[in-house]
């Protein structure tokens, strides 16, 4: 009876983690009840303008401040390593509370897609005995990850009531596994010029998107430059990534102008116009079309490589894992019965080990996503993808991983640049009921032969890639420059 009265007086106790869990040398707290949904919160205080800092203050006022972390002060891999080591020691000493906290722990990450992907990759890399599921708070410009799992795409309220509402949603959320993807970029040391990826304004990469492997890494090859990374949502190449690169460059040059989500989105649209994305056929030479400078191979369910026919008009390719791109659109859509039968296509499940490959001719083509059942040019579904770039009419292209763009110089001699994408593993997300993301194992999810008609016209293991080595923020990178 006493514990029931306590819970009614302070319902936030069900999310509370006591101090001694973080500082085992301190005296154990007197805990009257076991938290039903213990929470760790990671916030990029520089995201969303002032909102990130405000959200940090609110969470620390509602919970134990030691369970709320500013990513500008401490990296998530350090936090999680330390916490799980402590929990294991406490469990060995017979601490029942530590066992329950480890079993019930849930994570919240507040920031842009880059920040969310960073935490997902850390959890994937650490190979925790009981990896906690993750909920994402939208504090970026696109917010594709939060939107895909039902957390919205608008910046949240930072007041007490809004945060309590979100915590209660996290408590009720369902767990859903999603695929993760490993990406390798390899090139021979060029005889002339440079082929290393170039971040916006040539500032250092935030490294949770891409990373040069060391000479001792097994992926390293003599005479080659090899980069590696990972993504959860998408890899894109072409004009959409070029606009993103221009946006990030402008934001790094004038960060004071990018402190409002609506302003950011308007700036993004404006750059789409100035970069020629809305008039690509007039502004850009046909040599910039993907088929002119890249050869694409895919590995489907059969396990054999085959050439992918990319239509000559395609200027942007998106390899998509989640049904949310460019602010919440689903470029793949839901194939109708005829497409399923004739082309062996499926709906875009997030845990089926397949990427959806979609092409776009320009931004106007992308606007078809605004229409019911609208989608891009469906090219293929594949378990592995390989892009090969040779000496050609263009000197560079633009690429993007989960919102993090870069300019990729292409060969000026006879060498080849190769980008290869393959499945890596899975991680657990927290999803709101009836969210856009669907699991192939969910009984309520339509299977291939049950997909409804309603398609618009069609034109048509275990390598780690995250925590300490690839996704840690280096000292020279200002976290305010990360989405």
């Amino acid at each position: 009876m006493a514990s029931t009265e306590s819970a009614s007086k302070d319902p936030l106790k069900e999310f509370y983690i006591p101090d001694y869990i973080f500082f085992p040398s301190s005296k154990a707290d007197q805990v009257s009840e076991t938290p039903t949904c213990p929470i760790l919160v990671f916030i990029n205080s520089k995201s969303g303008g002032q909102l990130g800092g405000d959200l940090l203050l609110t969470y620390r006022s509602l919970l134990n401040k030691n369970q709320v972390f500013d990513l500008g002060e401490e990296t998530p891999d350090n936090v999680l390593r330390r916490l799980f080591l402590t929990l294991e020691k406490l469990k060995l000493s017979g601490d029942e509370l530590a066992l329950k906290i480890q079993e019930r722990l849930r994570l919240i990450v507040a920031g842009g897609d880059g920040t969310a992907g960073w935490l997902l990759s850390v959890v994937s890399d650490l190979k925790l005995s009981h990896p906690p599921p993750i909920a994402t708070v939208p504090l970026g410009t696109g917010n594709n990850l939060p939107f895909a799992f039902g957390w919205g795409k608008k910046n949240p309220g930072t007041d007490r009531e809004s945060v309590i509402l979100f915590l209660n949603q996290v408590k009720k959320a369902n767990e859903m596994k999603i695929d993760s993807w490993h990406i390798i970029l390899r090139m021979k040391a060029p005889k002339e010029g440079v082929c290393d990826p170039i971040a916006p304004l040539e500032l250092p990469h935030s490294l949770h998107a891409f990373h040069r492997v060391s000479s001792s890494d097994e992926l390293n090859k003599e005479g080659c430059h090899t980069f590696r990374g990972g993504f959860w949502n998408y890899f894109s190449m072409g004009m959409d990534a070029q606009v993103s690169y221009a946006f990030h460059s402008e934001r790094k040059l004038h960060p004071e102008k990018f402190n409002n989500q609506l302003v950011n989105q308007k700036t993004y649209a404006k750059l789409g116009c100035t970069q020629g994305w809305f008039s690509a056929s007039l502004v850009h030479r046909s040599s910039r079309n993907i088929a002119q400078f890249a050869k694409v191979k895919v590995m489907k369910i059969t396990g054999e490589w085959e050439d992918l026919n990319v239509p000559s008009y395609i200027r942007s390719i998106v390899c998509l894992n989640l049904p949310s791109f460019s602010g919440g659109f689903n470029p793949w859509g839901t194939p109708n019965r005829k497409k399923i039968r004739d082309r062996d296509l499926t709906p875009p499940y997030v845990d089926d080990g397949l990427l959806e490959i979609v092409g776009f001719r320009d931004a106007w083509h992308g606007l078809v996503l605004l229409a019911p059942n609208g989608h891009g040019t469906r090219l293929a579904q594949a378990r592995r993808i390989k892009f090969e770039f040779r000496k050609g009419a263009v000197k560079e292209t633009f690429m993007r991983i989960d919102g993090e763009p870069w300019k990729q110089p292409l060969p000026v001699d006879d060498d080849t640049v190769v980008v290869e994408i393959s499945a890596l593993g899975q991680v657990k997300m927290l999803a709101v009921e009836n969210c856009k993301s669907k699991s192939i194992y969910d009984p309520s999810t339509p299977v291939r032969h049950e997909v409804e008609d309603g398609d618009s016209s069609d034109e048509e293991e275990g390598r780690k890639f995250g925590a300490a080595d690839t996704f840690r923020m280096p000292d020279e990178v200002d976290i305010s420059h990360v989405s």
Side-chain angles (χ1 to χ4, degrees):
M1 183 67 178
S3 63
T4 303
E5 290 177 357
S6 173
S8 64
K9 290 178 182 177
D10 189 2
L12 291 174
K13 284 294 184 182
E14 59 189 331
F15 306 108
Y16 187 85
I17 300 178
D19 273 339
Y20 87 92
I21 296 294
F22 301 99
F23 307 104
S25 59
S26 64
K27 185 178 179 180
D29 300 14
Q30 294 297 319
V31 181
S32 59
E33 58 190 275
T34 302
T36 56
C37 184
I39 294 287
L40 275 190
V41 185
F42 297 92
I43 299 175
N44 184 343
S45 59
K46 302 300 183 182
S47 287
Q50 185 61 37
L51 294 180
D54 293 345
L55 202 60
L56 185 71
L57 293 175
T58 304
Y59 270 100
R60 284 180 171 171
S61 70
L62 293 171
L63 304 173
N64 181 347
K65 65 179 182 180
N66 292 311
Q67 68 189 97
V68 182
F69 299 90
D70 183 349
L71 289 171
E73 299 175 353
E74 190 164 16
T75 61
D77 49 313
N78 286 338
V79 172
L80 291 173
R81 277 197 192 97
R82 186 172 64 246
L83 175 65
F84 273 78
L85 180 61
T86 300
L87 288 173
E88 290 295 337
K89 289 179 178 178
L90 290 172
K91 282 165 52 182
L92 289 174
S93 69
D95 192 308
E96 292 288 336
L97 180 60
L99 174 63
K100 295 298 183 184
I101 287 176
Q102 187 179 69
E103 291 175 345
R104 301 173 182 179
L105 184 65
R106 296 189 162 195
L107 307 183
I108 293 174
V109 57
D113 285 334
T115 302
W118 184 23
L119 182 63
L120 265 64
S121 300
V122 165
V123 172
S124 174
D125 273 7
L126 291 181
K127 308 296 183 187
L128 302 171
S129 57
H130 197 280
I134 302 164
T136 54
V137 180
L139 275 185
T141 302
N143 296 321
N144 290 294
L145 263 168
F147 186 67
F149 295 95
W151 302 107
K153 55 184 175 180
K154 293 183 179 180
N155 291 160
T158 61
D159 58 282
R160 180 184 176 92
E161 290 72 22
S162 297
V163 170
I164 291 176
L165 177 62
F166 188 86
L167 284 169
N168 285 319
Q169 287 181 302
V170 170
K171 180 179 66 174
K172 299 173 184 176
N174 301 314
E175 292 186 15
M176 181 183 294
K177 288 186 177 181
I178 66 168
D179 297 324
S180 63
W181 296 87
H182 185 241
I183 181 167
I184 297 174
L185 185 150
R186 181 178 287 124
M187 67 215 66
K188 288 185 179 179
K191 298 173 184 176
E192 55 180 300
V194 177
C195 279
D196 286 7
I198 303 173
L201 293 185
E202 301 186 11
L203 295 177
H205 268 295
S206 57
L207 293 193
H208 63 287
F210 229 57
H211 174 61
R212 175 84 169 264
V213 303
S214 67
S215 57
S216 60
D217 192 299
E218 63 181 18
L219 285 174
N220 186 62
K221 288 188 176 180
E222 189 71 28
C224 289
H225 296 169
T226 302
F227 292 77
R228 62 191 292 269
F231 66 93
W232 305 93
N233 192 3
Y234 66 87
F235 165 83
S236 70
M237 178 180 66
M239 287 202 64
D240 75 290
Q242 180 177 337
V243 175
S244 178
Y245 183 88
F247 174 83
H248 279 67
S249 296
E250 185 70 15
R251 184 169 67 173
K252 287 188 174 184
L253 192 61
H254 303 288
E256 71 281 357
K257 296 181 180 179
F258 294 81
N259 55 10
N260 179 277
Q261 187 182 45
L262 183 59
V263 171
N264 291 355
Q265 291 169 344
K266 288 181 177 179
T267 302
Y268 205 101
K270 180 180 178 181
L271 286 169
C273 295
T274 59
Q275 291 289 315
W277 188 210
F278 281 90
S279 54
S281 59
L282 299 175
V283 176
H284 289 263
R285 304 185 308 275
S286 61
S287 60
R288 299 202 67 86
N289 296 1
I290 302 296
Q292 297 295 316
F293 63 88
K295 183 178 181 180
V296 187
K297 293 178 176 287
V298 295
M299 182 184 291
K300 298 184 179 179
I301 299 296
T302 59
E304 296 180 357
W305 286 105
E306 58 185 79
D307 292 335
L308 179 65
N309 179 31
V310 179
S312 60
Y313 56 80
I314 294 298
R315 294 182 177 86
S316 178
I317 283 183
V318 181
C319 303
L320 195 67
N321 186 39
L322 305 180
S324 181
F325 175 77
S326 191
F329 294 117
N330 180 3
W332 187 255
T334 303
N336 63 24
R337 294 176 188 272
K338 186 175 186 301
K339 299 294 187 300
I340 289 172
R341 182 181 66 249
D342 296 346
R343 296 188 57 194
D344 195 28
L345 303 180
T346 73
Y349 302 118
V350 300
D351 54 355
D352 59 357
L354 295 174
L355 284 173
E356 284 68 45
I357 309 173
V358 187
F360 291 96
R361 98 163 51 85
D362 52 27
W364 294 111
H365 186 191
L367 291 180
V368 72
L369 301 179
L370 294 171
N373 304 313
H375 58 85
T377 300
R378 297 182 183 122
L379 300 176
Q381 286 176 301
R383 56 194 292 186
R384 297 181 73 174
I385 307 164
K386 184 186 295 183
F387 297 90
E388 296 180 353
F389 306 91
R390 299 183 185 277
K391 178 182 178 181
V394 294
K395 296 181 179 180
E396 78 275 326
T397 187
F398 294 84
M399 301 181 182
R400 183 163 57 143
I401 294 176
D402 286 354
E404 303 288 338
W406 73 93
K407 180 165 64 175
Q408 179 57 51
L410 298 180
V412 295
D413 47 37
D414 293 331
D415 289 331
T416 302
V417 173
V418 175
V419 173
E420 186 169 340
I421 300 170
S422 57
L424 175 72
Q426 292 184 324
V427 74
K428 290 186 288 186
M429 296 293 293
L430 287 170
V432 175
E433 191 172 0
N434 298 320
C435 67
K436 292 171 67 71
S437 294
K438 302 298 179 185
S439 168
I440 196 170
Y441 302 106
D442 185 349
S444 66
T445 299
V447 293
R448 295 171 60 152
H449 62 277
E450 294 176 340
V451 177
E452 296 296 326
D453 293 313
D455 204 0
S456 63
S457 61
D458 199 352
E459 295 178 292
E460 341 260 3
E461 165 95 336
R463 177 183 303 282
K464 77 176 193 172
F465 66 91
D469 298 328
T470 312
F471 283 72
R472 173 184 293 162
M473 296 290 183
D475 294 337
E476 66 270 21
V477 175
D478 183 349
I479 197 170
S480 66
H481 292 159
V482 182
S483 64

